[in-house]
Amino acid sequence: MAGKVFFSVSMSLDGFIAPEALSELMGRQWMELQRWIFPTRFFRENLKLGGGGEEGRDNDIARETFERTGASVMGKRMFDAGERMWPEEAPFHTPVFVVTHEKRDPWERPGGTTFHFVNDGIETALGQAREAAGDRDVRIAGGGATILEYVNAGLVDEFSIALSPVLFGAGIRLFEGVDAGRVALEQVRAEPTGRATHLTYAVRER
């Protein structure tokens, strides 16, 4: 049985998931947005930063998200930013399908991540990701424009937001341009921790 299609992001209280400029990634606001995950044991393990790290519910949620994911899909903007910033052993450890117009051979990284470049749309990328994921879930990794395309196309089953206590003021909004007339949500879980509030919703066609 095929798994779900989902996305999972950190979001500021005023609705932003990333700064507008790629140069601002890893800046102060971005670090504050992701502050819930940086101290966790899972984060340290996954990026090979050494032992230690915090246990607890934030750590469990990060690990559960990783373990359910059999393949990921992302847009070219996110890939371009990550190509410069990810360590040699990229943090996905599964196939990743990049929606792009660029024609490029698969890029294999140590640790099980291979980036495949898909030139004929979001549905083709998702189909390839589903096949690669088997009975595990497919994660729409981002960025915001790519997530929105999948939501508006009715291709997302579920999503989770780690709502962080930070204000951006400007940047990339998660639902800017959403086709609200066709998307209905059903709350699955709301769980506060010391650094974020974790919200999960099932997506239904309105």
Side-chain angles (χ1 to χ4, degrees), residues 1-3 6 17 26 45 68 78-79 83 110 115 125 131 140 152 165 180 183 205:
M1 181 177 177
F6 79 104
I17 60 172
M26 306 305 290
E45 288 174 355
R68 70 183 285 191
M78 181 176 179
F79 173 78
E83 188 175 16
F115 294 93
E131 185 174 351
I140 310 302
N152 283 344
V183 178
E205 187 166 353

Side-chain angles (χ1 to χ4, degrees), residues 51-65:
E54 297 179 4
E55 301 282 355
R57 192 64 188 125
D58 285 332
N59 183 69
D60 293 343
I61 288 169
R63 189 179 299 280
E64 289 163 6
T65 300

Side-chain angles (χ1 to χ4, degrees), residues 46-169:
N46 195 36
L47 270 73
K48 303 215 178 311
L49 299 176
E54 297 179 4
E55 301 282 355
R57 192 64 188 125
D58 285 332
N59 183 69
D60 293 343
I61 288 169
R63 189 179 299 280
E64 289 163 6
T65 300
F66 176 83
E67 290 177 348
R68 70 183 285 191
T69 303
S72 295
V73 176
M74 70 178 57
K76 182 64 160 50
R77 184 179 189 270
M78 181 176 179
F79 173 78
D80 287 345
E83 188 175 16
R84 294 194 293 270
M85 293 188 298
W86 291 319
E88 183 180 14
E89 187 170 315
F92 301 95
H93 308 290
T94 61
V96 178
F97 296 86
V98 182
V99 181
T100 177
H101 297 296
E102 178 186 11
K103 296 189 181 299
R104 179 171 169 177
D105 291 333
W107 186 41
E108 186 174 349
R109 310 303 296 147
T113 302
T114 299
F115 294 93
H116 302 271
F117 300 89
V118 182
N119 305 129
D120 48 356
I122 62 171
E123 294 194 20
T124 298
L126 179 57
Q128 293 181 18
R130 282 188 184 278
E131 185 174 351
D135 59 359
R136 295 166 71 192
D137 296 338
V138 173
R139 181 180 184 184
I140 310 302
T146 301
I147 288 172
L148 188 67
E149 281 191 84
Y150 278 98
V151 170
N152 283 344
L155 296 173
V156 172
D157 301 309
E158 184 179 286
F159 66 86
S160 295
I161 294 171
L163 190 62
S164 295
V166 58
L167 298 172
F168 263 42

